[in-house]
Every structure is written in structure tokens, then in C-alpha cells.
Amino acid sequence: GIHILSLSNPSNPMLIGMYYTPGSIICAAVKENYLYAVGDLSGLQIVDISNPSRPQLAGSMGRMRGVHGLAMSGDYVYITDRWSLSIFNVSEPARIKRMKTLALPGVPRAIVVRGNYAYLTSDHSGFHVIDISSPTAPSIAGSYGMEGFAYGLDVEGDYAYIANSDTGFHIVDIRTPSSPKPAGSFKTPGLASAVAVRDKYAYLADG
């Protein structure tokens, strides 16, 4: 399910609200008064969190399989599973509409949306740039091949930052969406699984 914590006192976070979902939740995002969460058995759940102590279901859509990632932008939710990227219109939470599902190579995982592009990683396939300017007709704009398991992704400015459990930390130049290219890399000692970038620093989870 979903747990809502108050951080008014950072040294003592407190549980103030809960929402029970039909199954486990893999990932979630928040926009304004709604939380968007997804899981295999839960499917896509939209939860009204305008009153954090009493979250309420606003809308949902069926079960899913092999869910790996979720991103939110405008009126759309983008979900990756083991085979594809699916786009949903959530402008009316009670009437979620599936716009399109795009089959992808490898096993799609992390996803980040910026403007008219979705950036995602895919196991044993690498990094892909998806043109989402038309939600009903997404297409692969460009790709950068990479072996291994690309679990983590962040995008800031002209670069994508990838955590790959087999090959470490990678920086990819995305200034030309049709031709992403390597800009730098660092072999981590463990298994890189997640990355976040702020200012001039990258923060890596490396198990």
C-alpha cells in the first residue's frame, strides 16, 4: 500500500495516512493533489491526497504485468514493463485512457520524461530516446547500445546519467535526440543500481 509521512520534524517522521492497494506498489509519483502509483496486481492507482490523513481512490486501471518504472508529465503517465512503454491520459482520474503501447527491445526499466521526449533504460539493450510529442504515436528517436542491467537513470540538461549494475556509471550526451552518444563513464566497485544528479554531483547506489 501507500504510507504518507509528515516531515515537519525531520528527526521524527510520523505516519499520518495510509491507503491500502490491491497488491504491492513498484513505483509512484506525485503531482499537485494526486499520487500516481503502479504495481502488477494493483495496476495504475490514482489517489487523492488533498487530505494527507485521509487518502482516497480517485481512479484506477486494471492489473499489469512486469511493471518496472513510472513517470508523470502534464496529463500523462508513462509506465514501463518488461516489454514496452505504455502512455495513459489521466486528465480525468476516474476515466483513465490508455493512449498507446510501444514495444521496445530488451527489458525496459527506468524512465524519465522531459518535454517531448521520454528517456529510458533497457536491460541488454541500453538507452533509448522516445519521441512522445504525439501520445498516440510514440516512436524511438534514438538509441545508445549498452550491455548489462541498466537499473538507474536521471536526466539533467544535456545529459542522461545511467547506473548499470554490470558496467558502472555512464554519462550520455542527449543534445541530439536521434544520436545519443557516450560522454563519460566510471566503473563502480559494486553493482550500480540507482543514480540521482543535483548540480555538479552524482549520487550513486552501488551494492
Side-chain angles (χ1 to χ4, degrees):
I2 296 163
H3 295 203
I4 301 175
L5 303 179
S6 170
L7 303 179
S8 55
N9 181 356
S11 65
N12 185 31
M14 296 185 63
L15 179 67
I16 61 168
M18 293 184 65
Y19 175 75
Y20 293 96
T21 56
S24 61
I25 294 298
I26 303 299
C27 43
V30 172
K31 181 187 176 187
E32 297 173 352
N33 288 326
Y34 293 101
L35 181 144
Y36 303 84
V38 67
D40 288 352
L41 295 179
S42 297
L44 175 58
Q45 302 267 314
I46 303 179
V47 181
D48 185 335
I49 54 172
S50 54
N51 182 349
S53 64
R54 297 187 65 183
Q56 301 287 329
L57 181 66
S60 65
M61 174 170 278
R63 294 184 177 186
M64 298 184 180
R65 294 192 303 153
V67 170
H68 280 156
L70 177 149
M72 175 76 201
S73 181
D75 290 332
Y76 298 95
V77 167
Y78 304 83
I79 296 173
T80 58
D81 59 31
R82 289 180 57 83
W83 308 274
S84 60
L85 165 67
S86 294
I87 303 175
F88 299 86
N89 185 321
V90 294
S91 58
E92 296 181 76
R95 296 177 178 84
I96 301 171
K97 298 177 183 177
R98 185 190 293 263
M99 305 302 291
K100 188 70 175 180
T101 295
L102 174 68
L104 294 167
V107 179
R109 285 197 181 270
I111 180 170
V112 175
V113 173
R114 296 284 186 272
N116 287 327
Y117 293 98
Y119 304 90
L120 60 86
T121 60
S122 187
D123 295 349
H124 303 300
S125 177
F127 171 77
H128 302 285
V129 181
I130 312 298
D131 184 338
I132 54 170
S133 55
S134 173
T136 59
S139 61
I140 298 177
S143 300
Y144 169 61
M146 183 184 301
E147 288 300 317
F149 296 87
Y151 290 120
L153 173 68
D154 200 359
V155 176
E156 290 290 333
D158 295 330
Y159 297 94
Y161 303 88
I162 300 168
N164 184 302
S165 66
D166 290 27
T167 58
F169 174 61
H170 297 264
I171 303 173
V172 179
D173 185 330
I174 56 173
R175 284 177 289 186
T176 303
S178 62
S179 182
K181 57 186 179 181
S185 64
F186 174 79
K187 183 66 176 75
T188 59
L191 304 176
S193 59
V195 60
V197 174
R198 294 296 180 273
D199 299 322
K200 294 184 178 181
Y201 296 93
Y203 303 87
L204 286 164
D206 192 53

